[in-house]
Amino acid sequence: MARTAGDVRRIAQTGRVASLIGVEGGHQIDGRLSVLRQYKALGVAYLTLTHGRSLAWADSSTDAPHANGLSAFGRAVVAEMNRIGMIVDVAHVSDATMAAVLDVSKAPVIASHSDARALADAPRNIPDALLRRIGAGGGVVMVNCYPAFLSSAWRAWDARRTAFAKSVGVPANVYGARSPAPLVAWDATNPAPRVTATMVADHIEHIARIAGRGAVGFGGDYDGINGTGPEGMTGVEGYPLVLAELVRRGWSDADLAGLTNGNILRVMARVEAVAKDLSATAPDDSIDPLAR
């Protein structure tokens, strides 16, 4: 287990894997900043402000808005995260909420598993204007390997597949040989569009062009994409395919070191430094009745 950038570096130097704890979805603080602090005390390094549903204080990209950005309590959440050294994660949030976070956060933010909307028009992906702001603030966008976020063609195919699954009463969120029999048959006659490591590299390069090479990392999302992934990349063991493609495109060893670990470790260290600067600030005990 790791709590700081120094922990990650120390653990990696021993040949072991450092693991960070995150909380995906601000509904899990139950409208109480005291709960946020308890998570931090237990070792939580980052909080994804929303998941798939909007909250009273922050909006999800895949739900109707409630806060139209951040409510006063939402701004207090971000401020308290800055104060205690918890990384703000804007994956899943709406464009308006992301812009509001960037307006108020004193520390760089991450998007822990998001891609570029310019290349694949999915609500969970980030438009160029916000990519640019994340990079300008020293943040990092960590590229997601879910085919629906990498390829508009795969996303459209999956929508057709989901509609068929619903029509025959079987779950759509299983892929490959383990799919229900009707979907195995449907897949045979409706093959998925190809999604490759080259497309992952395309998203990385686009984010790097807009936000800078220091503003991009790997986000994977392998625990959340139901066994899908680009060809040869159904797990993190496929990352070398992307690295090789980026080498072919002229990325240096230093660029790749930033992509694979250095950029996110820089964000972690800066978040820690901001918390140190704010250490004399009193805790905020705000409670949001609308969020409870």
Side-chain angles (χ1 to χ4, degrees):
M1 179 171 170
R3 293 173 181 260
T4 67
D7 287 345
V8 174
R9 295 186 189 280
R10 171 181 52 77
I11 292 165
Q13 286 172 358
T14 69
R16 297 160 68 204
V17 174
S19 182
L20 300 170
I21 297 174
V23 171
E24 190 170 27
H27 58 286
Q28 295 177 85
I29 69 169
D30 195 33
R32 293 178 178 269
L33 295 185
S34 58
V35 175
L36 182 72
R37 289 193 294 275
Q38 285 296 309
Y39 276 129
K40 175 63 176 178
L42 291 168
V44 169
Y46 66 96
L47 171 73
T48 315
L49 297 185
T50 72
H51 194 233
R53 302 291 296 274
S54 292
L55 310 177
W57 53 270
D59 300 321
S60 171
S61 63
T62 51
D63 195 13
H66 297 324
N68 295 307
L70 286 173
S71 71
F73 181 77
R75 293 191 294 274
V77 170
V78 173
E80 190 69 354
M81 291 177 70
N82 289 166
R83 190 189 72 83
I84 64 177
M86 187 181 288
I87 302 168
V88 179
D89 179 14
V90 295
H92 282 286
V93 306
S94 71
D95 293 356
T97 294
M98 195 177 301
V101 170
L102 293 167
D103 286 341
V104 301
S105 182
K106 292 181 171 64
V109 307
I110 64 169
S112 63
H113 51 305
S114 300
D115 291 340
R117 197 177 298 170
L119 300 188
D121 189 12
R124 281 269 288 99
N125 287 348
I126 302 176
D128 285 358
L130 290 171
L131 290 176
R132 192 172 290 110
R133 289 193 63 189
I134 291 172
V140 171
V141 177
M142 305 174 73
V143 169
N144 194 319
C145 292
Y146 185 31
F149 299 158
L150 293 167
S151 164
S152 293
W154 196 96
R155 185 176 182 83
W157 169 85
D158 192 50
R160 295 193 303 272
R161 186 180 188 271
T162 298
F164 171 76
K166 184 176 180 179
S167 73
V168 296
V170 298
N173 62 345
V174 184
Y175 296 85
R178 297 177 61 191
S179 302
L183 280 181
V184 172
W186 191 90
D187 291 346
T189 55
N190 298 272
R194 292 187 67 198
V195 178
T196 66
T198 298
M199 295 179 181
V200 180
D202 290 342
H203 280 263
I204 290 171
E205 282 229 287
H206 182 86
I207 293 166
R209 273 197 305 273
I210 300 299
R213 289 190 179 180
V216 65
F218 277 116
D221 200 18
Y222 284 114
D223 189 51
I225 61 177
N226 297 314
T228 63
E231 294 173 11
M233 292 189 64
T234 54
V236 296
E237 69 277 5
Y239 285 172
L241 296 175
V242 180
L243 300 180
E245 176 62 24
L246 292 171
V247 168
R248 285 190 285 271
R249 299 182 188 194
W251 282 52
S252 68
D253 286 352
D255 294 331
L256 298 180
L259 171 70
T260 54
N261 65 80
N263 295 341
I264 189 66
L265 289 174
R266 186 199 70 245
V267 168
M268 291 177 65
R270 181 57 191 154
V271 168
E272 293 163 26
V274 169
K276 184 176 181 179
D277 290 343
L278 297 173
S279 60
T281 306
D284 186 342
D285 285 325
S286 295
I287 297 172
D288 185 2
L290 295 176
R292 304 200 67 241

